[in-house]
Amino acid sequence: MQRLFCFASVLVLIFAGYVHAQDVAVFYDAAVENGNGLAVPNPLQLAEMIVEELEDKKLTAEIVDSDGLADYMKANPKGIYIITQGNTPGTIFKKEGKDDLVYTWLRGGGIGGFIGDYAFYYYWDKGARVTATGAGQQSVFGVTVTNGTVSQVSPTDLGKEYIPSLKKWTSNRASGLAVLKANDFEYESYADDGTNADPIAYRTDDMDGWFINFHTSCCGTTIPPNAQIATEYAELISNRFATSQAVDPSGKVSVVWGKLKKSLQ
């Protein structure tokens, strides 16, 4: 009985340590719609490529589903997530303001990343896509930041520093710099045309974390290939955000399950 209790205790510590130690959660859920016009042609491939690129940069990353993303955020108040499907899962957002997990998480220091159409324009709940429109961003940030202006954006000095692979491209879901300035947002533009930016990271004056708007477009506008997006995203996370979010290495578990089980026999 004592041995069984010890084994169970080790299991609890391992799974708790694993969830806590993961640097980045990459969201892909097979039960969630793959976009249908939300820009990302193959989100599963993109998610897998992002994980590979992050691991090449010595960061821990795993693909998580809707429930897994919520679990990760609760266990990692200063973690990093990346959504690849254009739909935010209802487990973290339902246009409920302060009652949404993502609202409090961003303000507590978490970093959210998004690829798709307007961030928070859609969410996936109970097997269906729900359209929140611009009210989705208003629920999270207080204003609608994204606009539908077709913008030929070029890398800024920050973009060249943090995302060396970033190239000039065309976005039609960029973030309006005038809106950010008028509402006292702090922001870092990585590519813009002087008026609209994408990619960009921004935060309200009451957010300790950041929100990353990354290659967002819709309705036939071509975004860079998945391999290019994955490379760029990993560069940004590694060069800018992972260093500031550094996960406590004491929480990381490197014991292989098979070896652990054998050692307890």
Side-chain angles (χ1 to χ4, degrees):
M1 180 64 69
Q2 183 177 4
R3 186 174 164 188
L4 179 61
F5 175 77
C6 177
F7 180 69
S9 298
V10 170
L11 283 181
V12 169
L13 287 172
I14 281 198
F15 288 117
Y18 172 77
V19 171
H20 179 73
Q22 183 177 317
D23 294 313
V24 184
V26 180
F27 174 76
Y28 172 80
D29 190 330
V32 174
E33 176 189 61
N34 281 351
N36 287 345
L38 304 188
V40 184
N42 189 336
L44 175 57
Q45 179 193 60
L46 177 58
E48 291 172 340
M49 287 180 169
I50 290 175
V51 168
E52 290 174 1
E53 291 288 340
L54 289 168
E55 289 180 341
D56 284 346
K57 295 185 178 300
K58 310 304 179 185
L59 296 172
T60 57
E62 292 289 342
I63 294 175
V64 297
D65 62 12
S66 298
D67 290 331
L69 179 58
D71 290 342
Y72 168 84
M73 291 167 66
K74 291 173 184 176
N76 296 271
K78 296 184 183 297
I80 302 170
Y81 78 65
I82 298 172
I83 288 177
T84 63
Q85 281 174 279
N87 279 296
T88 302
T91 53
I92 71 166
F93 171 75
K94 291 184 182 179
K95 202 180 67 174
E96 295 177 344
K98 295 180 181 180
D99 291 332
D100 283 326
L101 174 59
V102 71
Y103 182 100
T104 54
W105 190 76
L106 290 171
R107 282 157 179 79
I111 293 172
F114 182 82
I115 305 167
D117 197 345
Y118 283 68
F120 302 113
Y121 196 95
Y122 305 105
Y123 65 92
W124 190 265
D125 186 45
K126 299 178 181 178
R129 183 173 73 176
V130 181
T131 302
T133 67
Q137 287 189 10
Q138 293 168 26
S139 177
V140 179
F141 306 119
V143 295
T144 301
V145 177
T146 304
N147 61 58
T149 304
V150 177
S151 305
Q152 304 279 345
V153 296
S154 300
T156 63
D157 289 341
L158 273 182
K160 294 173 184 177
E161 177 182 354
Y162 293 136
I163 317 173
S165 297
L166 184 62
K167 300 177 175 64
K168 182 177 181 179
W169 77 291
T170 302
S171 170
N172 71 353
R173 292 294 187 263
S175 300
L177 298 180
V179 173
L180 295 171
K181 293 174 183 176
N183 290 277
D184 297 322
F185 279 62
E186 181 179 357
Y187 67 87
E188 295 182 355
S189 171
Y190 307 118
D192 64 52
D193 62 1
T195 303
N196 296 302
D198 184 6
I200 185 173
Y202 53 78
R203 58 183 175 183
T204 61
D205 60 5
D206 66 343
M207 280 171 53
D208 287 336
W210 292 85
F211 186 79
I212 305 170
N213 184 84
F214 204 95
H215 285 311
T216 48
S217 283
C218 177
C219 314
T221 299
T222 301
I223 61 175
N226 282 349
Q228 178 71 16
I229 293 178
T231 297
E232 293 176 6
Y233 228 136
E235 288 175 346
L236 178 61
I237 297 300
S238 175
N239 293 333
R240 170 62 177 91
F241 292 108
T243 52
S244 64
Q245 300 297 97
V247 175
D248 181 2
S250 66
K252 295 193 175 185
V253 177
S254 59
V255 179
V256 177
W257 166 253
K259 292 181 179 179
L260 169 69
K261 186 175 181 181
K262 183 176 180 181
S263 69
L264 293 173
Q265 289 177 344

PDB file of all heavy atoms in Angstrom, residues 108-125:
ATOM      1  N   GLY A 108      -2.892  39.093 -16.195  1.00  0.00           N
ATOM      2  CA  GLY A 108      -2.007  38.531 -15.190  1.00  0.00           C
ATOM      3  C   GLY A 108      -0.597  38.272 -15.680  1.00  0.00           C
ATOM      4  O   GLY A 108       0.269  37.882 -14.893  1.00  0.00           O
ATOM      5  N   GLY A 109      -0.355  38.458 -16.978  1.00  0.00           N
ATOM      6  CA  GLY A 109       1.003  38.263 -17.491  1.00  0.00           C
ATOM      7  C   GLY A 109       1.141  37.229 -18.576  1.00  0.00           C
ATOM      8  O   GLY A 109       2.244  37.015 -19.099  1.00  0.00           O
ATOM      9  N   GLY A 110       0.040  36.569 -18.969  1.00  0.00           N
ATOM     10  CA  GLY A 110       0.107  35.587 -20.034  1.00  0.00           C
ATOM     11  C   GLY A 110       0.242  36.239 -21.401  1.00  0.00           C
ATOM     12  O   GLY A 110      -0.120  37.403 -21.591  1.00  0.00           O
ATOM     13  N   ILE A 111       0.782  35.481 -22.355  1.00  0.00           N
ATOM     14  CA  ILE A 111       0.977  35.975 -23.718  1.00  0.00           C
ATOM     15  C   ILE A 111       0.161  35.120 -24.672  1.00  0.00           C
ATOM     16  O   ILE A 111       0.344  33.900 -24.750  1.00  0.00           O
ATOM     17  CB  ILE A 111       2.459  35.943 -24.110  1.00  0.00           C
ATOM     18  CG1 ILE A 111       3.238  36.956 -23.257  1.00  0.00           C
ATOM     19  CG2 ILE A 111       2.642  36.249 -25.593  1.00  0.00           C
ATOM     20  CD1 ILE A 111       4.723  36.885 -23.425  1.00  0.00           C
ATOM     21  N   GLY A 112      -0.764  35.759 -25.408  1.00  0.00           N
ATOM     22  CA  GLY A 112      -1.606  35.044 -26.353  1.00  0.00           C
ATOM     23  C   GLY A 112      -1.214  35.365 -27.778  1.00  0.00           C
ATOM     24  O   GLY A 112      -1.003  36.531 -28.124  1.00  0.00           O
ATOM     25  N   GLY A 113      -1.108  34.339 -28.610  1.00  0.00           N
ATOM     26  CA  GLY A 113      -0.774  34.537 -30.016  1.00  0.00           C
ATOM     27  C   GLY A 113      -1.883  33.993 -30.902  1.00  0.00           C
ATOM     28  O   GLY A 113      -2.517  32.990 -30.575  1.00  0.00           O
ATOM     29  N   PHE A 114      -2.112  34.647 -32.048  1.00  0.00           N
ATOM     30  CA  PHE A 114      -3.243  34.289 -32.892  1.00  0.00           C
ATOM     31  C   PHE A 114      -2.860  34.340 -34.369  1.00  0.00           C
ATOM     32  O   PHE A 114      -2.156  35.254 -34.809  1.00  0.00           O
ATOM     33  CB  PHE A 114      -4.399  35.251 -32.634  1.00  0.00           C
ATOM     34  CG  PHE A 114      -5.651  34.948 -33.417  1.00  0.00           C
ATOM     35  CD1 PHE A 114      -6.543  33.985 -32.984  1.00  0.00           C
ATOM     36  CD2 PHE A 114      -5.931  35.634 -34.591  1.00  0.00           C
ATOM     37  CE1 PHE A 114      -7.691  33.695 -33.703  1.00  0.00           C
ATOM     38  CE2 PHE A 114      -7.073  35.359 -35.317  1.00  0.00           C
ATOM     39  CZ  PHE A 114      -7.954  34.384 -34.877  1.00  0.00           C
ATOM     40  N   ILE A 115      -3.367  33.359 -35.133  1.00  0.00           N
ATOM     41  CA  ILE A 115      -3.242  33.327 -36.584  1.00  0.00           C
ATOM     42  C   ILE A 115      -4.637  33.041 -37.136  1.00  0.00           C
ATOM     43  O   ILE A 115      -5.299  32.096 -36.711  1.00  0.00           O
ATOM     44  CB  ILE A 115      -2.278  32.220 -37.058  1.00  0.00           C
ATOM     45  CG1 ILE A 115      -0.908  32.362 -36.382  1.00  0.00           C
ATOM     46  CG2 ILE A 115      -2.127  32.246 -38.575  1.00  0.00           C
ATOM     47  CD1 ILE A 115      -0.031  31.148 -36.557  1.00  0.00           C
ATOM     48  N   GLY A 116      -5.102  33.834 -38.078  1.00  0.00           N
ATOM     49  CA  GLY A 116      -6.412  33.584 -38.659  1.00  0.00           C
ATOM     50  C   GLY A 116      -7.017  34.864 -39.188  1.00  0.00           C
ATOM     51  O   GLY A 116      -6.352  35.689 -39.797  1.00  0.00           O
ATOM     52  N   ASP A 117      -8.338  35.047 -38.941  1.00  0.00           N
ATOM     53  CA  ASP A 117      -9.041  36.270 -39.315  1.00  0.00           C
ATOM     54  C   ASP A 117      -8.930  37.225 -38.118  1.00  0.00           C
ATOM     55  O   ASP A 117      -7.988  37.139 -37.329  1.00  0.00           O
ATOM     56  CB  ASP A 117     -10.492  35.912 -39.630  1.00  0.00           C
ATOM     57  CG  ASP A 117     -11.224  37.003 -40.410  1.00  0.00           C
ATOM     58  OD1 ASP A 117     -10.719  38.133 -40.472  1.00  0.00           O
ATOM     59  OD2 ASP A 117     -12.299  36.718 -40.946  1.00  0.00           O
ATOM     60  N   TYR A 118      -9.883  38.118 -37.925  1.00  0.00           N
ATOM     61  CA  TYR A 118      -9.892  38.978 -36.743  1.00  0.00           C
ATOM     62  C   TYR A 118      -9.747  38.121 -35.480  1.00  0.00           C
ATOM     63  O   TYR A 118     -10.500  37.164 -35.290  1.00  0.00           O
ATOM     64  CB  TYR A 118     -11.237  39.683 -36.609  1.00  0.00           C
ATOM     65  CG  TYR A 118     -11.508  40.857 -37.502  1.00  0.00           C
ATOM     66  CD1 TYR A 118     -11.662  40.691 -38.864  1.00  0.00           C
ATOM     67  CD2 TYR A 118     -11.674  42.128 -36.959  1.00  0.00           C
ATOM     68  CE1 TYR A 118     -11.972  41.766 -39.687  1.00  0.00           C
ATOM     69  CE2 TYR A 118     -11.988  43.214 -37.768  1.00  0.00           C
ATOM     70  CZ  TYR A 118     -12.131  43.021 -39.138  1.00  0.00           C
ATOM     71  OH  TYR A 118     -12.452  44.089 -39.938  1.00  0.00           O
ATOM     72  N   ALA A 119      -8.840  38.479 -34.617  1.00  0.00           N
ATOM     73  CA  ALA A 119      -8.761  37.805 -33.313  1.00  0.00           C
ATOM     74  C   ALA A 119     -10.042  38.076 -32.527  1.00  0.00           C
ATOM     75  O   ALA A 119     -10.530  39.203 -32.488  1.00  0.00           O
ATOM     76  CB  ALA A 119      -7.555  38.316 -32.538  1.00  0.00           C
ATOM     77  N   PHE A 120     -10.583  37.032 -31.929  1.00  0.00           N
ATOM     78  CA  PHE A 120     -11.797  37.078 -31.105  1.00  0.00           C
ATOM     79  C   PHE A 120     -13.060  37.435 -31.904  1.00  0.00           C
ATOM     80  O   PHE A 120     -14.095  37.698 -31.322  1.00  0.00           O
ATOM     81  CB  PHE A 120     -11.626  38.034 -29.910  1.00  0.00           C
ATOM     82  CG  PHE A 120     -10.470  37.678 -29.029  1.00  0.00           C
ATOM     83  CD1 PHE A 120      -9.353  38.506 -28.933  1.00  0.00           C
ATOM     84  CD2 PHE A 120     -10.475  36.492 -28.304  1.00  0.00           C
ATOM     85  CE1 PHE A 120      -8.278  38.174 -28.133  1.00  0.00           C
ATOM     86  CE2 PHE A 120      -9.399  36.144 -27.498  1.00  0.00           C
ATOM     87  CZ  PHE A 120      -8.303  36.980 -27.415  1.00  0.00           C
ATOM     88  N   TYR A 121     -12.970  37.433 -33.228  1.00  0.00           N
ATOM     89  CA  TYR A 121     -14.154  37.664 -34.062  1.00  0.00           C
ATOM     90  C   TYR A 121     -15.060  36.431 -34.012  1.00  0.00           C
ATOM     91  O   TYR A 121     -16.274  36.543 -34.057  1.00  0.00           O
ATOM     92  CB  TYR A 121     -13.715  37.930 -35.505  1.00  0.00           C
ATOM     93  CG  TYR A 121     -14.773  38.545 -36.391  1.00  0.00           C
ATOM     94  CD1 TYR A 121     -14.845  39.925 -36.570  1.00  0.00           C
ATOM     95  CD2 TYR A 121     -15.693  37.747 -37.077  1.00  0.00           C
ATOM     96  CE1 TYR A 121     -15.804  40.503 -37.393  1.00  0.00           C
ATOM     97  CE2 TYR A 121     -16.653  38.315 -37.902  1.00  0.00           C
ATOM     98  CZ  TYR A 121     -16.700  39.695 -38.059  1.00  0.00           C
ATOM     99  OH  TYR A 121     -17.656  40.254 -38.874  1.00  0.00           O
ATOM    100  N   TYR A 122     -14.413  35.259 -33.927  1.00  0.00           N
ATOM    101  CA  TYR A 122     -15.134  33.998 -33.809  1.00  0.00           C
ATOM    102  C   TYR A 122     -14.675  33.239 -32.571  1.00  0.00           C
ATOM    103  O   TYR A 122     -13.530  33.366 -32.145  1.00  0.00           O
ATOM    104  CB  TYR A 122     -14.863  33.092 -35.021  1.00  0.00           C
ATOM    105  CG  TYR A 122     -15.155  33.699 -36.360  1.00  0.00           C
ATOM    106  CD1 TYR A 122     -14.119  34.123 -37.197  1.00  0.00           C
ATOM    107  CD2 TYR A 122     -16.464  33.839 -36.814  1.00  0.00           C
ATOM    108  CE1 TYR A 122     -14.380  34.670 -38.442  1.00  0.00           C
ATOM    109  CE2 TYR A 122     -16.736  34.385 -38.061  1.00  0.00           C
ATOM    110  CZ  TYR A 122     -15.693  34.802 -38.872  1.00  0.00           C
ATOM    111  OH  TYR A 122     -15.940  35.347 -40.106  1.00  0.00           O
ATOM    112  N   TYR A 123     -15.560  32.436 -32.023  1.00  0.00           N
ATOM    113  CA  TYR A 123     -15.136  31.438 -31.045  1.00  0.00           C
ATOM    114  C   TYR A 123     -15.924  30.156 -31.275  1.00  0.00           C
ATOM    115  O   TYR A 123     -16.993  30.168 -31.887  1.00  0.00           O
ATOM    116  CB  TYR A 123     -15.263  31.942 -29.604  1.00  0.00           C
ATOM    117  CG  TYR A 123     -16.665  32.224 -29.106  1.00  0.00           C
ATOM    118  CD1 TYR A 123     -17.409  31.244 -28.437  1.00  0.00           C
ATOM    119  CD2 TYR A 123     -17.236  33.493 -29.250  1.00  0.00           C
ATOM    120  CE1 TYR A 123     -18.686  31.518 -27.944  1.00  0.00           C
ATOM    121  CE2 TYR A 123     -18.505  33.773 -28.766  1.00  0.00           C
ATOM    122  CZ  TYR A 123     -19.221  32.780 -28.120  1.00  0.00           C
ATOM    123  OH  TYR A 123     -20.485  33.041 -27.639  1.00  0.00           O
ATOM    124  N   TRP A 124     -15.364  29.049 -30.820  1.00  0.00           N
ATOM    125  CA  TRP A 124     -15.943  27.732 -31.073  1.00  0.00           C
ATOM    126  C   TRP A 124     -16.527  27.191 -29.776  1.00  0.00           C
ATOM    127  O   TRP A 124     -15.821  27.054 -28.793  1.00  0.00           O
ATOM    128  CB  TRP A 124     -14.879  26.783 -31.600  1.00  0.00           C
ATOM    129  CG  TRP A 124     -15.436  25.493 -32.117  1.00  0.00           C
ATOM    130  CD1 TRP A 124     -15.547  24.311 -31.432  1.00  0.00           C
ATOM    131  CD2 TRP A 124     -15.956  25.246 -33.420  1.00  0.00           C
ATOM    132  NE1 TRP A 124     -16.108  23.353 -32.229  1.00  0.00           N
ATOM    133  CE2 TRP A 124     -16.371  23.897 -33.460  1.00  0.00           C
ATOM    134  CE3 TRP A 124     -16.117  26.037 -34.555  1.00  0.00           C
ATOM    135  CZ2 TRP A 124     -16.921  23.317 -34.599  1.00  0.00           C
ATOM    136  CZ3 TRP A 124     -16.670  25.460 -35.683  1.00  0.00           C
ATOM    137  CH2 TRP A 124     -17.065  24.129 -35.698  1.00  0.00           C
ATOM    138  N   ASP A 125     -17.832  26.933 -29.790  1.00  0.00           N
ATOM    139  CA  ASP A 125     -18.497  26.498 -28.565  1.00  0.00           C
ATOM    140  C   ASP A 125     -19.560  25.458 -28.883  1.00  0.00           C
ATOM    141  O   ASP A 125     -20.412  25.681 -29.746  1.00  0.00           O
ATOM    142  CB  ASP A 125     -19.131  27.709 -27.867  1.00  0.00           C
ATOM    143  CG  ASP A 125     -19.717  27.359 -26.501  1.00  0.00           C
ATOM    144  OD1 ASP A 125     -19.031  26.653 -25.736  1.00  0.00           O
ATOM    145  OD2 ASP A 125     -20.840  27.786 -26.218  1.00  0.00           O
TER     146      ASP A 125
END
